[in-house]
Amino acid sequence: MSQLEKKAGLLRRTSSSKKPLKEKVVLMYDEIFAKEDPAKNNPRFWDELFLMKVNLEYLESKLESVDGEEVQRIQDNINSLFHHCVQALGEEHQIKVVNALQTLCALFRGVHQKNKSTSGFDIINMLMGFDKAEQRMKDLMERLDSLLCGDGSESLKSLCLKLLLCLVTVTDNISQNTILEYVMINSIFEAILQILSDVSSRGQHGYDAVVLLALLVNYRKYESVNPYIVKLSIVDDEPTLDGMGMVVHQALTEYNRQYKDKEEEHQGGFFSTLTSMVGSMFIADADEKLSVQTNEAILLALYEAVHLNRNFITVLAQSHPEMDIPTTPTTLTPTTPTTPLGTTPPSLDMMNNPELPLDPNLQTSNLLITFLKYASIVMQDTKDEHRLNSARLCLIILTCIAEDQYADAFLHDDNMNFRVNLHRMPMRHRKKAVDKNIPSRPLVCAVLDLMVEFIVTHMMKDFPMDLYLRCVQIIHKLLCYQKKCRIRLHYTWRELWSALINLLKFLLSNETTLLAKHNIFHLALLVVNLFNMFITYGDTFLPTSNSYDELYYEIVRMHQVFDNLYCMVLRVSTNTGQWKEAASKVTHALINVRAIVNHFNPKIESYAAVNHISQLSEEQVLEVVRSNYDTLTLKLQDGLDQFERYSEQPKEAAFFKELVRSISLNVRKNVSLNTLSQGILLKEFSTIS
Amino acid sequence: MEMDLAVDQVIDPEVALKACQEVLLQVQLQNREGPDQQQQQQKQQQQVNNNNMDLTEGGASPQWDAGSIREEEEEEEEGEKHGAVREISQSSSSAAAAAAASKQSWLLRLFESKLFDVSMAIAYLYKSKEPGVQAYIGNRLFSFPDSEVDFYLPQLLNMYVHMDTEVGDAISPYLIYRCRGGIAFSLLTAWLLGAYSSDMHISTQRHSRGAKLRKLILSDELKPSSPPPASISGGSPASSPSHRRRCHRRHNSSSVESSLSLCAAGPVPAEAEADVFVSPSRRTHQRSKSDATTASGGHSAGLRRTGSNPKVEAVHEESLLGIGKRLATLPTKEQKTQRLISELSLLNHKLPARVWLPTAERQHHVCRVPHTQAVVLNSKDKAPYIIYVEVLECESFETSPVPVRIPETRIRSARSAENLDCGVSAANAIANGGSGITSEHRAGSFSTVPNYDNDDEAWATDDIGQLQVEVETQTSSSDNISQFSVDSITSLESKEPVFIAAGDIRRRLSENLAHTPTSFRRDPEDPSAVALKEPWEEKVRRIREASPYGHLPNWRLLSVIVKCGDDLRQELLAYQVLRQLQSIWQQERVPLWIKPYKILVMSSDSGMIEPVLNAVSLHQVRKQSQLSLLDYFLQEHGSFTTEEFLTAQRNFVQSCAGYSLICYLLQVKDRHNGNILLDSEGHIIHIDFGFILSSSPRNLGFETSAFKLTSEFVDVMGGLNGDMFIYYKMLMLQGLIAARKHMEKVLQIVEIMQQGSHLPCFHGSSTIRGLKERFHMSLTEEQLQLLVEQLVDGSMRSITTKLYDSFQYVTNGIM
């Protein structure tokens, strides 16, 4: 009781006269950094410390200023501070808990800031002492766990997550953060899941929880057994997985909305500039302005969920009404500082809201649709590193989805039709498609559209070869599924064919520049094999018999491209050089295409000659094609319907390492902002008690 | 009276039987007390009656029934006055009373005879004002098989709601007994009571009777309190029934908040006792724990009994109706369908649960709703929709354990297997060679399943050997497999170049396309056409393949149409009449074909309908095929001389005749082509009995003909002079004669339902009389034949039928 009164008294004094007390905290910090045990003179030293408002800046700067030798001397005090912080977490007075959490934050950060080069073990020694480290960290994790799972204050939980995020991101390379070894042993995975499964806590902390999980999963991913990976891969509790999906969905929706707002905003300005300055190169400017900071952390979380957890795939198709309403969910964007409890609006949670809001204008949506829209925005512009990474990650996620049997099943489900408004890059030679006219189709059509869109819009000097490879492979995987399951998708395959042929054309015309950097023959081989899929297995998945004729028509019409390609690869493969083998593979793959071209071209010419027509109509060509199938023999190629399955290691490991590093930096930046502005938090608790 | 004691107690058949005997004894006593003279008279009468009975025993003539009822009625006036007095003070034996008693004994003979069936019981219950008779019949109900009484449940309940207290008192012990016996019955009763009470405003006292029983049922007072059956052996729960009920209540309160949460809450007590997995009690582990207990045996099964509650079902069905109501506000069919799918997918999260479809014949639990298969049906302003429901059959939905939930993605390889060398499931995955069936770490009970999906397995690996398996399964599964896949394998082995002709590929493509059964085009404005055209077996197979529960032997697919905003009570009435006529025709061996479809009335404006399988409406046939009906028959079944066509034609004729009679007798109106279905065997099936008897749509004077018989129909039957057309008329005559013979049985159904009803079909005072007249009791068979000729002739020439079709085309776009 007396303690409580004392606290109240202290706080009252805080508000009335700030200065002397602030100094008191600083004084106490100074005592810690002195050699002597601060509790020696004042047995209630630690009790008092945690009753006072933390001065993070001072504490951090103090820790940073300590140099090598001094460390040795004050190590005991720091160890003791750490120990008491952990103990204070168990206190029933929330003020103490808050202060302890913030102090811990400052400790982790300050120590790392100072000792960037030192090994993780030294840092552990400095913070906790080797001998006690295990016990201390165990206590810490247990306390955090019970705080997160208990039904205490929401802001406390939020602070716990901030502390964890802070701890996880103190090093640039997450795998070098040795303290995390203890987080691996003392798992808080269950606490994270619990946050995600509960509606209200998900709304407030979901974002942080998901990001934290994504980062933890990436700790020493390739070197050791990470229990978080194991645990994430076997989660099968649907509310939890849905919760995770919901958080990702909300974050991506928010991004899409922001982009749309900006686009509209810009379009207003766009027309006004149009009136003032006619004919300037405004579009290029426009693109730069349009870019919204991408959210790689959430995308990484989505990737890990899709890649690791086989049950998560169902969540992708989990429909809920589109959340286009600006809900200002505070937890969604890391850039917005956390608002204290009470001001957070109850998040729109469709899952556990039995009465779904009724608005006829709302399109039903699901995570996959939102993701496709997001990808269409991100892929528009791959110039800067962040967006390139995001686009790559998007394609990797799509690769995983395309490989998944269940995902393929619902992508191709004839009963699940959606309108997906993909964003298309404004280009000079084409008009922006009117949104309303998109028919409702199975989702795979949207995926194919997205791939075609990418192929068409990225033929540039700075050729994103890696993205193109992934793109073509995704198409191949989808075709393999269609062939295997005999799904006759009503898709305008023609668009895909002409996009692919144009891609070949681009490769040919930029051969020299591209060859300096990339193996263009590999891409060419993949593209030609897509055509081979259509030619040899078309009977199993083409929607109409006409579409097979159209395929031949398209090939014959664009025969020049194939001819040139053949000449090129023949030339390269006869020379000795590093591309010899790659090129000769393409020559083999071209056999059937060439057979078609050589078979039909003379037929068409003679038809034109006989009928005295200079320019044959499409219908006439198709007629020729139809009547001359029987004399054409094709060669069956092996392994057309087989593909290499995606595996993260070793190919993608470097990419993910870099990605996680960049995410870590970003999260650290945002967390520091947040934790520093927790003054309001204290007020909340002072009013409670 | 002795039956009053029953109201608040459990009535078991023994008590009921005793009560029956008491009544009989009383009557006999009265007889004995009568003067000797009368006794002699009575004896004579009895002899006569005996003779009568003997005569009728063979033939079961309906006239006899009618006669006896008429006599009863005459007697009633007297009996009513004296009835009460006589029963209280048996000593007063006036002549009149004795006469009545003699009649009663005469009745008694009938009641005790083998001939006395439910139909008669209902008739007497309705007609007799004699409390003794009513009470006797009330008790006799116990002795009839449940299923037979169930057919007359609407009648019973309507009487209960709308007729005198005496009738109500007579029936209520039976109702309460049955309600205690099963949730399905009590729920049905509650729904019907609600529906039939809705018409009443005047007499609040009576209203409260129906409402009271309904409340009683819903309040869970009548839940079965019998000890758990012996089949649940071993550690059967120690908790007493009262305790069970208490914890049950607790769940109830939660079920109000969120739909179906009750089902989820069911296993919670079981979980508390389960220490199988020692792990920190985290959210994620809860499910696996409770599932583990289920698998562990009967122990938890006993506890799960607490989950059986009328509300579970009610909540489920109500959530379906809620969806329907919300759908109605959406403008386009496409949006409706999308919304429907998303709402149903949410429902899926709470399944499997102790939830069942009342329209099904066998006991089951609903385990999954394949939400993507659901479609919105054609309707102008309401939003009826059809859903398919996967169920697992079980012995009893009340006692059998609820099936374990299997996630949607049970058959996929753990991609991260290389990382999972310490996880439990990883061990499994490795044991399975990392390919395919990674048995769920919790669904261990299903791990014995043979490789139910070779396709998926093969898919999960790049192994060529596996691929071969895939190819083999494909060959066996589809006849028109392209040679190709096989070729590709052989080429892998021989490494010699394989050549194929482009023409072959092209030909195979068009052949494959031609071989696929004629399916309808997808039309966003009519999403149901495609879904309904797909053969039922095909659909079942497809859904079964996609379902995680599909491998279970007791897996079944059911479907149901959910309607809200429509009053289905008339449909129910029509269903009963159809059923009655169907059984009459069966009994009389007239090969008329009709298909009564089950109706579940849930309130006066909502309910469910059992869909007719493999059938599409004539409207859809026309719109999609753009063919005449005859050409469509030729397309679907083959040319005139084929066996298939002839069978289909015969089916068509038999069903046409059946429904023509129904349409005539019941005056079914609104017969546009959207309301007439054609099934895959050629039967026509009429649906939507929204306008029958005295009501017709908007009374514009259309559809004056007796039934719908267009020239298209006649064409299918082979033209006016064809044998089949003559057969059609002959069938109708036979059917009418048979129906006439059992007219009372049909009339009675309608008549009782008229009581207190405000349904449009009972509009006016002459409904029953009109119906009776249409049976033409007075005509000779020759005259009847003439009548049939006239009806057919008139209907065929009817200009109004044509007019009505074009009217429907103009107003609703129905072809």
Side-chain angles (χ1 to χ4, degrees), chain A residues 492-512:
Chain A
T492 44
W493 291 113
R494 244 183 160 160
E495 284 175 23
L496 175 68
W497 297 330
S498 74
L500 291 173
I501 292 174
N502 282 330
L503 175 60
L504 290 178
K505 206 168 162 185
F506 176 82
L507 292 180
L508 282 170
S509 51
N510 296 284
E511 182 201 337
T512 38

Side-chain angles (χ1 to χ4, degrees), chain A residues 535 551-559 562 593 596-597:
Chain A
I535 293 167
L551 169 69
Y552 279 55
Y553 173 80
E554 204 64 26
I555 292 173
V556 173
R557 190 172 71 91
M558 302 299 283
H559 66 94
F562 292 106
V593 175
I596 290 168
V597 170

Side-chain angles (χ1 to χ4, degrees), chain A residues 145 149 190 193 197 225 229-230 233-234 236-238 242 306-308 310-311 313-314 318-319 321 351 354-358 360 363-364 403-406 408 413-419 440 481 484 486 488 535-539 542-545 548-549 552 626 629-630 632-636 638 642-643 645, chain B residues 282-284 287 326 329-331 334-335 338-339 341-343 345-346 349 372-373 405 407-410 412-416 419-423 425 438 440-442 455-456 459-460 462 467 470 474 480-482 484-485 487-488 491-492 495 497-503 505-510 512-513 522:
Chain A
D145 185 280
C149 296
E190 286 75 14
L193 286 199
S197 63
V225 178
I229 292 181
V230 178
S233 64
I234 56 175
D236 57 3
D237 180 64
E238 268 167 44
D242 275 339
V306 168
H307 177 239
L308 291 175
R310 46 210 212 87
N311 300 312
I313 292 288
T314 43
Q318 191 69 61
S319 345
M351 247 316 291
E355 289 291 310
L356 296 165
L358 246 194
Q363 275 272 329
T364 313
E403 273 180 20
D404 187 280
Q405 171 90 350
Y406 182 82
D408 277 327
D413 193 328
D414 225 9
N415 280 336
M416 282 170 66
N417 291 318
F418 293 94
R419 291 175 206 279
S440 202
Y481 176 81
K484 189 181 83 87
R486 293 168 181 254
R488 299 181 187 281
I535 293 167
T536 40
Y537 297 117
D539 58 330
L542 280 175
T544 59
S545 19
Y548 196 68
D549 308 335
Y552 279 55
R626 262 180 226 126
Y629 274 125
D630 280 328
L632 172 66
T633 307
L634 300 170
K635 184 175 178 280
L636 186 63
D638 292 335
Q642 275 153 37
F643 55 83
R645 290 187 68 84
Chain B
R282 295 267 184 262
R283 187 76 188 74
T284 40
R287 186 178 285 282
R326 271 171 272 146
T329 59
L330 292 173
E334 195 185 310
Q335 277 177 312
Q338 282 184 1
R339 169 57 67 94
I341 287 174
S342 71
E343 298 237 12
S345 71
L346 294 189
H349 281 267
T372 60
Q373 304 302 322
R405 183 175 171 80
E408 296 276 315
T409 51
R410 36 112 224 190
R412 299 179 12 251
S413 72
R415 244 181 276 124
S416 49
N419 296 325
L420 303 180
D421 34 1
C422 65
S425 72
T438 307
E440 293 300 317
H441 70 289
R442 59 186 178 77
D455 253 21
D456 291 310
W459 183 244
D462 298 326
L467 210 76
E470 171 205 343
Q474 277 195 353
N480 54 355
I481 186 199
S482 84
F484 230 106
S485 328
D487 287 349
S488 95
S491 80
L492 281 175
K495 281 289 168 200
V498 177
F499 294 99
I500 32 153
I505 300 173
R506 175 62 164 69
R507 216 167 296 122
R508 255 196 317 263
L509 175 60
S510 30
N512 281 349
L513 286 168
R522 188 161 290 277

Side-chain angles (χ1 to χ4, degrees), chain B residues 85-107:
Chain B
V85 186
R86 186 182 65 227
E87 282 180 40
I88 297 161
S89 60
Q90 294 170 348
S91 54
S92 70
S93 53
S94 67
S102 74
K103 294 270 184 192
Q104 282 232 318
S105 85
W106 185 83
L107 257 180

